[in-house]
Amino acid sequence: MALEIERKYLIHHDKWHNFSKPEGQLYRQGYILKDPNKTIRVRLTDTTAYLTIKGASVGATRTEFEYEIPKEEAVELLDNFAVSELSKVRYKIMYMNKLWEVDVFMGDNDGLIVAEIELLSEEESFELPEWISIEVTGDNRYYNSNLSAHPFKNW
Amino acid sequence: MALEIERKYLIHHDKWHNFSKPEGQLYRQGYILKDPNKTIRVRLTDTTAYLTIKGASVGATRTEFEYEIPKEEAVELLDNFAVSELSKVRYKIMYMNKLWEVDVFMGDNDGLIVAEIELLSEEESFELPEWISIEVTGDNRYYNSNLSAHPFKNW
């Protein structure tokens, strides 16, 4: 098990679009199980696939179990077992020695961009890139599991 | 993905007890998700642990995705995420070139013994060992996922 400690932010879209960034990677992810206490997610990219079990969030912290699985099986799991699904392009950006992951959502979540930073403790300090806007850590609406069922376009 | 094709039988207890068999292995297994169309199971033995996703049964056939996971993580998943659980001792017995798996259930399922044979096709022929009694393939009550929530002692 790992403990996932992460903080989540909205983005200044203009600043983000003008920012010089590396190429993003397309993520397709679906949920086999979504309930308030646990989610089971299948994530598929061009190169890898993972099955991930996450517990409930307490503050910015969440238990997480992640297993790499064959890509073909991820496709079958998504096609046959996912109750909801979303797609996004993920950008990985190093800023002041920390990794930021910026998700540009697609489809019914088009127009939503969310940045996350993963931390080693809830107290860890870090600098905010200029394209960071307000914090939304702990706002359930931004959970990917919720976005897959209640997408941004319906808010 | 694998297709799991198996037939399931009850056991003549006296004949089974008198049968000379290899040592069995203790299985602890719990269900993170149980619904009519899919189950997610964590199975832990002395030596290995697996996370398994199964689809709905059609006749004796069922889709199955199985991933080996670290034993310590299986314990955490069982303790934190399983909605129901059971224990059994499994005996693996070769008979006429086929593998039989005989489960002697424990706890609230004490008194129940079930034998399974895994097949390559639904039409595959095989011989029945002398300790086999009536067939219960397709009887939902004998699904391990159901036995974990509706144990034999309450039938």
Side-chain angles (χ1 to χ4, degrees), chain A residues 1-2 31-33 37-40 42 51 53-56 63 65-70 72-74 76-77 80-83, chain B residues 1-2 31-33 37-40 42 51 53-56 63 65-70 72-74 76-77 80-83:
Chain A
M1 183 192 66
Y31 294 85
I32 296 180
L33 172 66
N37 298 314
K38 63 196 174 203
T39 60
I40 299 180
V42 177
L51 182 67
I53 302 173
K54 296 191 188 200
T63 56
F65 300 80
E66 188 153 67
Y67 307 107
E68 188 162 7
I69 64 175
E72 320 78 68
E73 297 195 359
E76 291 185 89
L77 285 168
N80 296 308
F81 293 101
V83 291
Chain B
M1 182 192 67
Y31 294 85
I32 296 180
L33 172 66
N37 298 313
K38 62 196 175 203
T39 60
I40 300 181
V42 177
L51 182 66
I53 302 173
K54 295 190 188 202
T63 55
F65 300 80
E66 188 154 67
Y67 307 108
E68 188 160 8
I69 65 175
E72 320 77 66
E73 298 194 359
E76 291 186 90
L77 285 168
N80 296 308
F81 293 102
V83 291

Side-chain angles (χ1 to χ4, degrees), chain B residues 57-114:
Chain B
S57 291
V58 180
T61 304
R62 207 167 179 195
T63 55
E64 180 181 286
F65 300 80
E66 188 154 67
Y67 307 108
E68 188 160 8
I69 65 175
K71 282 173 59 188
E72 320 77 66
E73 298 194 359
V75 172
E76 291 186 90
L77 285 168
L78 287 168
D79 289 347
N80 296 308
F81 293 102
V83 291
S84 61
E85 203 181 311
L86 61 74
S87 295
K88 62 189 182 183
V89 176
R90 171 161 285 189
Y91 296 85
K92 297 190 177 187
I93 292 153
M94 288 303 296
Y95 179 78
M96 302 289 266
N97 248 355
K98 307 274 188 200
L99 175 66
W100 288 83
E101 296 177 324
V102 179
D103 290 339
V104 177
F105 289 90
M106 301 167 68
D108 289 346
N109 287 298
D110 191 38
L112 180 64
I113 308 179
V114 174

Side-chain angles (χ1 to χ4, degrees), chain B residues 134-150:
Chain B
I134 60 165
E135 182 165 9
V136 294
T137 306
D139 184 336
N140 296 357
R141 293 178 303 165
Y142 294 98
Y143 288 4
N144 279 214
S145 54
N146 288 337
L147 289 173
S148 68
H150 307 290

Side-chain angles (χ1 to χ4, degrees), chain A residues 8 36 57 59 136-147 150 155:
Chain A
K8 201 176 274 201
S57 291
V136 294
T137 305
D139 184 335
N140 294 356
R141 293 177 303 164
Y142 294 98
Y143 288 3
N144 279 214
S145 55
N146 289 337
L147 289 173
H150 306 289
W155 290 16

Side-chain angles (χ1 to χ4, degrees), chain A residues 100-127:
Chain A
W100 288 83
E101 296 176 323
V102 178
D103 290 339
V104 177
F105 289 89
M106 302 167 69
D108 289 346
N109 288 298
D110 192 37
L112 180 64
I113 308 180
V114 175
E116 292 174 357
I117 182 169
E118 201 157 322
L119 304 172
L120 297 174
S121 80
E122 297 215 7
E123 294 70 36
E124 187 175 343
S125 67
F126 52 92
E127 301 289 321

Side-chain angles (χ1 to χ4, degrees), chain A residues 6-120:
Chain A
E6 67 181 21
R7 294 176 67 174
K8 201 176 274 201
Y9 297 84
L10 297 184
I11 288 284
H12 287 295
H13 287 217
D14 287 351
K15 291 181 185 165
W16 170 252
H17 287 301
N18 294 326
F19 176 70
S20 168
K21 47 194 168 283
E23 206 175 335
Q25 188 173 27
L26 180 62
Y27 281 38
R28 177 185 172 195
Q29 60 190 46
Y31 294 85
I32 296 180
L33 172 66
K34 284 182 306 186
D35 80 25
N37 298 314
K38 63 196 174 203
T39 60
I40 299 180
R41 182 188 75 197
V42 177
R43 174 181 280 174
L44 176 65
T45 76
D46 278 352
T47 51
T48 53
Y50 290 93
L51 182 67
T52 307
I53 302 173
K54 296 191 188 200
S57 291
V58 180
T61 304
R62 207 167 177 196
T63 56
E64 179 180 286
F65 300 80
E66 188 153 67
Y67 307 107
E68 188 162 7
I69 64 175
K71 282 173 59 189
E72 320 78 68
E73 297 195 359
V75 173
E76 291 185 89
L77 285 168
L78 287 168
D79 289 347
N80 296 308
F81 293 101
V83 291
S84 62
E85 203 180 310
L86 62 73
S87 295
K88 62 189 182 184
V89 176
R90 170 161 286 188
Y91 296 85
K92 297 190 177 187
I93 293 155
M94 287 304 295
Y95 179 79
M96 304 287 267
N97 248 356
K98 307 274 186 197
L99 176 65
W100 288 83
E101 296 176 323
V102 178
D103 290 339
V104 177
F105 289 89
M106 302 167 69
D108 289 346
N109 288 298
D110 192 37
L112 180 64
I113 308 180
V114 175
E116 292 174 357
I117 182 169
E118 201 157 322
L119 304 172
L120 297 174

